[in-house]
Amino acid sequence: MRVLISGGGIAGLTAAYWLHHHGHEPVVVERAPRGQFGGYGIDFFGTGHDIAARMGLIDRLAAHQLPTEDIRYVDARGRLRSRLERRLLEKVIGGPYLALMHARLEEALADAVRGRVEIRHEQRIAAVGQRPDGIDVVFADGAADSFDLLVGADGVHSATRELVFGPESRFARRLGYTMACYPVPDSYGLGPRRIHYSEPGRQVVLYPTDTPGELIALFLHRTADQTAPPRAERRAALRDAFDGMGWITPELLAAAPEDIFVDGLTQIRMPRWHRGRVALIGDACAAMTLTSAQGASMAMAGGYLLAEALHRHDARTAAFRACEARLRPAVTLRQDHARSFARFLVPATRAGLAVQGAVSRIGMRDAFAGLLRRGYGDTTSILGGA
């Protein structure tokens, strides 16, 4: 089958790899220019790690692990309140674990399909028409083409979902937080650790990337309006939201570049992930937000399981249903945990911060590994023998 994949991120590239592996002809369209990867740090374990291992990518990814020995929570003067050691984190995960930059995983996946899969960069879908025996697509540049299936893997703000299933507002579930992030020079003596500093309704996180001398500054704050401001206004909006915050926040804000990534924490919840010859995977149908710590893993699961289902089932509808039935319970569990964990991560009040501090000081010990695991949702792989 000839399959168009809208979106060349983690979900789309994983789907392309496994569709090609099973003898299909995937074609990927991606809005970004070739070689443009971005994003923040991710925790990579469970299902995603298993799929990457089946693709032979683990050694490459392991070479780019973030140099993070522990996670620390500090007060306004930078004094340690509590810490989660990497050793305990690995025990909580209960299996192989990597801390990576999102871009490194995308780069590895892009290289895995290079020369095997056609990828059309700086291209996007403008219109979709379904026939009983195929899909007709018009692209933004006016070109037209036909395929057997269309896979929407174009993220939380999916254009494919908009064209086939309806507006984002029907499926978006706002968590009530906005995040922003950007790289800064390592001039703070951070060392091999990730540091969190919280005040009521807002949090700053700082951690090293795999590029020497570089850190990521990540900002989370509660907000009723999760609409990202225009790019030209983002730096000013971020400084307003975090004005007067302690620790080294003023220095981090002063180092903000003109171009800042900003988005609301939004989950996508849909009653059905497929319609006719169109199926959605990854954040396009099941966004969990960064507070799940499993978005990349579930994106890979969507791409892998969809390709497996199409390989095992003669009828596309049966394949779509089988993939969704396998994946949806795991996604729902992780979405539910992400929603509740967000409230713990960024408490709205000083009383909530006090509770967070007490739980962190007491709970970040080996004896509470099982309890901490619940905070991550289910950390195990959902593949089994698939």
Side-chain angles (χ1 to χ4, degrees):
M1 287 189 299
R2 193 162 185 254
V3 183
L4 178 63
I5 301 172
S6 176
I10 291 172
L13 292 172
T14 303
Y17 178 94
W18 290 103
L19 285 167
H20 178 271
H21 174 79
H22 290 305
H24 301 295
E25 183 187 349
V27 176
V28 178
V29 292
E30 167 56 43
R31 298 182 66 166
R34 184 182 303 275
Q36 181 174 304
F37 304 105
Y40 39 79
I42 59 173
D43 295 309
F44 192 60
F45 54 88
T47 306
H49 193 284
D50 277 4
I51 295 169
R54 297 182 187 193
M55 298 171 70
L57 300 179
I58 294 302
D59 287 345
R60 172 176 176 163
L61 295 175
H64 293 285
Q65 285 196 80
L66 301 185
T68 307
E69 295 178 359
D70 60 18
I71 300 170
R72 299 190 174 196
Y73 294 83
V74 302
D75 66 14
R77 297 174 61 184
R79 296 174 300 190
L80 181 67
R81 295 173 58 219
S82 60
R83 65 192 291 255
L84 175 61
E85 298 177 7
R86 183 179 176 117
R87 173 196 59 78
L88 177 55
L89 179 59
E90 291 174 350
K91 183 176 180 179
V92 169
I93 298 301
Y97 165 81
L98 297 172
L100 301 168
M101 293 303 294
H102 187 280
R104 296 304 184 194
L105 180 56
E106 282 193 333
E107 288 171 355
L109 292 169
D111 286 346
V113 302
R114 185 165 288 117
R116 306 179 186 184
V117 174
E118 179 185 357
I119 302 180
R120 304 175 185 177
H121 287 276
E122 299 183 75
Q123 183 63 283
R124 60 183 177 85
I125 297 173
V128 175
Q130 297 203 52
R131 295 178 280 104
D133 59 346
I135 293 273
D136 296 320
V137 175
V138 178
F139 298 100
D141 63 359
D145 207 341
S146 296
F147 301 86
D148 296 295
L149 301 176
L150 169 60
V151 176
D154 42 353
V156 65
H157 304 300
S158 168
T160 308
R161 186 186 62 234
E162 182 98 10
L163 289 169
V164 178
F165 296 84
E168 180 177 311
S169 58
R170 291 176 54 188
F171 313 113
R173 303 294 180 265
R174 315 291 184 187
L175 269 61
Y177 304 84
T178 294
M179 67 85 65
C181 67
Y182 49 84
V184 296
D186 183 5
S187 55
Y188 306 98
L190 183 70
R193 55 187 58 93
R194 187 170 87 200
I195 299 183
H196 294 239
Y197 170 64
S198 297
E199 291 183 2
R202 53 189 186 175
Q203 181 177 107
V204 177
V205 185
L206 194 62
Y207 57 88
T209 73
D210 56 358
T211 300
E214 182 181 72
L215 307 172
I216 291 292
L218 186 147
F219 300 80
L220 279 168
H221 66 103
R222 287 177 174 258
T223 175
D225 182 8
Q226 292 187 219
T227 304
R231 290 188 179 275
E233 301 174 14
R234 291 180 180 180
R235 184 163 60 177
L238 184 66
R239 288 174 174 172
D240 287 344
F242 287 84
D243 182 48
M245 195 167 181
W247 191 42
I248 58 172
T249 307
E251 289 89 341
L252 296 175
L253 292 173
E258 289 287 345
D259 190 15
I260 300 174
F261 175 78
V262 176
D263 204 359
L265 267 60
T266 302
Q267 294 184 343
I268 299 297
R269 300 208 182 203
M270 303 180 66
R272 192 176 180 186
W273 296 348
H274 57 92
R275 175 172 292 173
R277 291 179 171 269
V278 181
L280 302 177
I281 58 175
D283 283 356
C285 62
M288 290 178 287
T289 75
L290 60 84
T291 57
S292 75
Q294 299 192 53
S297 187
M298 289 295 100
M300 292 190 74
Y304 175 85
L305 291 175
L306 178 62
E308 288 293 305
L310 288 168
H311 177 62
R312 295 182 179 187
H313 295 269
D314 293 332
R316 70 172 187 282
T317 301
F320 290 166
R321 287 174 177 169
C323 175
E324 184 172 337
R326 183 72 178 275
L327 189 55
R328 183 183 285 275
V331 165
T332 300
L333 174 66
R334 287 157 175 78
Q335 285 181 324
D336 291 344
H337 278 279
R339 180 173 287 274
S340 60
F341 184 66
R343 293 191 292 269
F344 174 80
L345 185 66
V346 189
T349 65
R350 293 199 176 278
L353 279 175
V355 171
Q356 180 198 67
V359 170
S360 298
R361 286 190 297 272
I362 297 170
M364 291 186 183
R365 304 175 186 178
D366 288 63
F368 294 94
L371 182 62
L372 289 170
R373 188 175 298 118
R374 290 178 58 190
Y376 276 88
D378 191 338
T379 62
T380 57
S381 174
I382 68 172
L383 295 189

